[in-house]
Amino acid sequence: AEKLVSSNSELKEAIKMAKPGDIIIMANGVWKNTEILFSAKGTKSQPITLKAQEKGKVTLEESSNLRISGEYLIVKGLVFKNGFSPTSEVISFRKDSKTLANNSRLTEVVIDNFNGPERYDVQAWTILYGKNNRVDHCSFINKRTQGVTLIVRLNTAESVENNHQIDHNYFGPRQNLGSNGGETLRIGTSHFSMMNSKSIVEYNYFDRCDGEHEIISNKSGQNTYRFNTFFECKGTLTMRHGNETHVEGNVFFGNGVSNTGGIRVINEKQTVINNYCEGLTGNRFRGALTVMNGVPNSPLNRYVSVKESKIEGNSLINCDHIELCAGSDSERSAIPQTTSLSRNLFVSNSPKMFGIFDDISGLSFDKNIISGAIESPSKKGFTSKDIKLIRNEKGLLIPQGKELGAGAQIANFANRENTGVTWYTSLTVDTPFDSGNKIEVNSGLNTLYEAINNSKPGDILILTDGTYSTSKSIEIPHTLSIISNNKAKLLFETKALFTIVNGGSLKIKGLHIDGEEAPDGPLNSVITTSKYSMNKNYKLFIEDCDFINLDVNNYFNVLRVAPSTFADTVSIKNSTFENISGAVLALNRESDDIGIYNAETVLIENCSFKNIEGAALDLYRGGTDESTTAGFLNVAHCYFENVGLSKKNKKGTSVSLLGVQNANIENSIFKATAPLDFILTVGEPINIIHHCQIEDSQILNIEGEGFENHNNSSEIKIGDDNKPVGLLK
Amino acid sequence: AEKLVSSNSELKEAIKMAKPGDIIIMANGVWKNTEILFSAKGTKSQPITLKAQEKGKVTLEESSNLRISGEYLIVKGLVFKNGFSPTSEVISFRKDSKTLANNSRLTEVVIDNFNGPERYDVQAWTILYGKNNRVDHCSFINKRTQGVTLIVRLNTAESVENNHQIDHNYFGPRQNLGSNGGETLRIGTSHFSMMNSKSIVEYNYFDRCDGEHEIISNKSGQNTYRFNTFFECKGTLTMRHGNETHVEGNVFFGNGVSNTGGIRVINEKQTVINNYCEGLTGNRFRGALTVMNGVPNSPLNRYVSVKESKIEGNSLINCDHIELCAGSDSERSAIPQTTSLSRNLFVSNSPKMFGIFDDISGLSFDKNIISGAIESPSKKGFTSKDIKLIRNEKGLLIPQGKELGAGAQIANFANRENTGVTWYTSLTVDTPFDSGNKIEVNSGLNTLYEAINNSKPGDILILTDGTYSTSKSIEIPHTLSIISNNKAKLLFETKALFTIVNGGSLKIKGLHIDGEEAPDGPLNSVITTSKYSMNKNYKLFIEDCDFINLDVNNYFNVLRVAPSTFADTVSIKNSTFENISGAVLALNRESDDIGIYNAETVLIENCSFKNIEGAALDLYRGGTDESTTAGFLNVAHCYFENVGLSKKNKKGTSVSLLGVQNANIENSIFKATAPLDFILTVGEPINIIHHCQIEDSQILNIEGEGFENHNNSSEIKIGDDNKPVGLLK
Ligand SMILES: [Ca+2]
Ligand SMILES: [Ca+2]
């Protein structure tokens, strides 16, 4: 029978009374603080259904979640938004550890931006337990906090060999988490990775799932991933643990976006056939195709070496990096064995498509085709051809002309239209800088404060001439630009001038910021991030600005971030920093050493740092976790003088980099400054300093491997771009 | 004329139009988000008044403040509560740095618990600028965040020699801030300390002003402090900078409360006469009477040595410590000179009343009287007498019988009744533990969560037998006890079981807490404090509890505090800790080294620590600021085995103390554990370890001075209390 319910108590009662074949219909409307326990027993022919009166018109909001427990249950058409679950998952296929769901289905359900405030509190959105369950045509959009979006668990006998099916779902954008725990899909855990899961993951669409290196983390045996589409995802389908994985007919579009990856092979008896990768730029653990080295007799939580695996008939078109024996080091010394790469098609304009990090003699190559420019990784098994590509009606590039006998041919795969729900549009959009109105702001006391409070996302505040004094703490709640064409002067009496709060991003340009009226206490800053949680990434751009007299008391920083805040980008150009008692950029607040860090990309160009008591830059990424690799840094044409020499500067450095993956410091001058520290730890870091005028090379402190130091000396006058080192005129 | 206004715009208009003699009357009611700029010009005979329609019935709430600017202005009868100022002060005697108030008066105004959320954002409650202003009969109650309650500033010529009068105010309770910036009254700054202020501070009542060591921080010349009463204040009237201070007729009642202090003398030409101190227990910088050593040729912000000063006719009754040449060290080597102590009366049952830290030859003593037991600090100038005291009608103890010719005689001084306003009662009270109802809680899923959400301040939740599982994060919002008589078992699936939030305090007793169901991620804890700001101090008591299996992932702590949270007391008794991947007590989150710390008093008695990967205790107080002296630690009859030896334990210690003032570790056993670190830094620390069974004394790492190490060895079996070392049976 059908039963329409319109309150939590009616819903509970209806569930309690439900018989096979019943349909419980939740009335249209907003259901706040609703924790549903859908515990019932249907039959194969007569399942019990819980569904929305109209799809998309039943929303579960605030503190809500769903547990499904029993047999032959169907949940359909619900939307979770505007809130978060009070427990560690939003939807769980169990009541408790002993009472699971089997033969049940979650279909056409939406979870959108349903995130708790704490960025690093772990919460999954959907966890599958039991057997023979299906999740299909669901939309999972804007997961922002730590925890996997969709998990299949195998933690008890009742959940192994589960034959779950995960199909036609839309996995929407997931921002860079800046930590492990940003996977979009995980099946199993290392502890149970020798168990078979037998899950099928097919026809799903992964849209910009950038949470971490593993879009998918396979951690159990005999799973199938096929006909899924990965659109501009900054990670890979990773066979992290478990054997006999079948990866077939998947499509990866990188579109040249940085760090986009493909398929990473680890473990034994893996099958990777007929997949299509195009425009992927990632390297190392995020290569288009990565075959890892393993650890000899690996413990369950490390890396089992690749054996008896087959990589066949895949297309790797215009991808930057194919990595063989990746991760080779003193621990990961077990090379791939008895593994074949055959009939794959590699197309690239760059000769250096293949990276080879160890002995590839355990790999056999046969009938692979490479385009003309590519340097062959092996004497046999590769044929170089001049290849012309055309895009077929499915949107894939295929070789023109006669049959090559190599590369992928995929008839059907997921697209945006046949995945997820069709009746829901996510309201969460990121506002670009400068997309709003231009608003003139006059000088005076708290005029800027008022203007910002009245601003809308994307607005540009234009400061006319004069002095802008601020006595109230300014919060930046959305994307905002503050610019001056005449170096308007900003004074402030608050501990921080600008606090970027959750959802905010800031661009400042042409400002003259003077700290002389700041309070006479330690730890002032010009810009800070919210001490309260920020589960949204932010951006900070500083251009043509001067910062002076930040010295009324100790440890006055330009930027002081709070823990659990994450910048996609911090960029500083054409700016000067002078007389500062603290640090300029302190991105060093994740000191727990668990792989969390404060900023992904840091760019500093044509800036001058003079008389800075603390560091010009402190960029810290502790821990050894490899699910993320923190940070890209570029410093070019900068000038450093008397930086970091204060006794109060604990680390005693002018630039301090710990765990930064890619650092490039070039064409700059370091004069009478404290040492630069490069501590290279996790991953395969590359830290380079070159063409810098350094008075004393003793000021370079290096720990770890991956450091390159060349063309630096007190005599260097011209950079590698043929311009004078130091500031550009 | 009188003008009744009932809106912000009417108020603005009335102020704008105000003429000498006018009275602007704010209508009764709650004025929310009201920032008043009272800028006007009255005359001596015709001042302009801004007042409440009825005293106490006009409240300024939420985001409100007051600036007074002009001449001959009076503000009367307002109340600030339920909010906080959007700027760095609540009431300011200026419009901006150029426009000050003179000849104006703030009277019968209340500021109660008007604190921003950020504990360490600096905010003053009232700042006096200009000249000839008066603050009288005001009540300042429950300041909780950083920043001085009442400040007199001398930062421009228009504010020196100001002749302000501060009288008959009630300075109500101010909790321990755990940082510099907890002063109740400050006059001047070090920078302007050679200027004269000529302020008069008289007949004020200071009630439990415990913010930091300086109740009053005098930092300018020619100020007078007289006839004030200090009731159980854990600090001193400190002549921090500036000369020619006159301190007369003040009364200090310590009532035996710990760390209560009196008068601290620094600088030149100071007069301390006819003051009365009783029952003060503090030592060193918080002695009943402290005469400091100075720094030779001291910079403005250090210590000028005492010269040409007079300490005469004061009574020091049943006080524990008179400190002469206090603070003597390699920097503070300039002893007091040409300073007399005469006709003072010292009464104590303890012979060790005087602490002498350097050469007292620059002090002259004359006609002082000491009671029989006291050891005289000097051969001349002290006469020992058998003194009987009686309490006079004013409440002061005076010698019985014939005139002694020494000690204080004070006819009038402040009391609770003649200070502050009479018509206001503060609603803010601290609820004691166990003052509420007893409530039985049955076992089951989230029954404890529900019970806590329904609890009231002071309640006692009694857990009956069984297992209590928790899948939602539990917040402790008020004082709460959770007890079990049968070791109820607690399991939890959340990152923390209990989060103490602002206003909360927790006592747990008789619980068996097992971490086996905690999430598989790093940084779990059993108890944590709010990541959001806590401007109220909290207490944590743990008794008869067992903690096991806190090891599902790395860095699982028993207690993990957040920065900007402060515990008055953390006490753990008769409890066991076993198989823990993190630390037991991690009170180490204030790593900025600016004198802030996480807990004042830590007591650990009769506890067992086994197989702990991190430290059993990490107590950190960085920086060299002397406005606070962090921490008292007592560890007695504990047992430590295999503690702190994990590679992941960065510091590599089992017990780590940095900057702890008073630490006592006794009668305990340390077996196969990582080293104990004692880093003694600021102040005059005393860290003692004695009567401990330690296998290898090499495990004691000591830095700094003040460490005592005795009766420790692998052979020690019996403690100094004649009981076996280690756990008491
Ligand atoms: Ca991962
Ligand atoms: Ca102080």
Side-chain angles (χ1 to χ4, degrees), chain B residues 708-720:
Chain B
E708 297 174 23
N709 172 8
H710 46 83
N711 292 96
N712 303 301
S713 85
S714 60
E715 303 302 314
I716 291 288
K717 299 276 192 277
I718 301 296
D720 68 341

Side-chain angles (χ1 to χ4, degrees), chain A residues 35 118 120 472 495 532, chain B residues 35 118 120 472 495 532:
Chain A
E35 295 185 60
E118 295 299 340
Y120 296 119
K472 305 180 194 186
K495 193 166 182 176
Y532 295 76
Chain B
E35 296 185 61
E118 296 299 339
Y120 296 119
K472 307 181 194 185
K495 193 165 181 177
Y532 296 77

Side-chain angles (χ1 to χ4, degrees), chain B residues 282-345:
Chain B
N283 67 355
R284 310 294 165 97
F285 288 19
R286 287 191 285 198
L289 173 65
T290 298
V291 180
M292 294 276 293
N293 256 22
V295 175
N297 302 311
S298 176
L300 279 178
N301 67 346
R302 296 301 293 154
Y303 290 82
V304 172
S305 62
V306 177
K307 280 184 194 157
E308 298 178 49
S309 295
K310 187 165 85 164
I311 300 170
E312 196 171 312
N314 303 289
S315 288
L316 293 124
I317 312 292
N318 300 329
C319 293
D320 291 353
H321 298 282
I322 311 297
E323 311 285 44
L324 303 179
C325 306
S328 168
D329 60 19
S330 59
E331 184 206 15
R332 278 183 297 237
S333 60
I335 59 171
Q337 289 174 19
T338 56
T339 289
S340 64
L341 280 85
S342 55
R343 295 195 301 99
N344 300 294
L345 172 65

Side-chain angles (χ1 to χ4, degrees), chain B residues 642-673:
Chain B
N642 185 23
V643 175
L645 294 169
S646 163
K647 266 196 305 188
K648 290 192 290 282
N649 180 17
K650 246 201 271 191
K651 290 188 185 167
T653 59
S654 58
V655 172
S656 185
L657 308 181
L658 187 148
V660 177
Q661 276 307 292
N662 292 283
N664 181 59
I665 299 179
E666 63 180 24
N667 305 334
S668 295
I669 297 174
F670 294 87
K671 194 168 161 183
T673 69

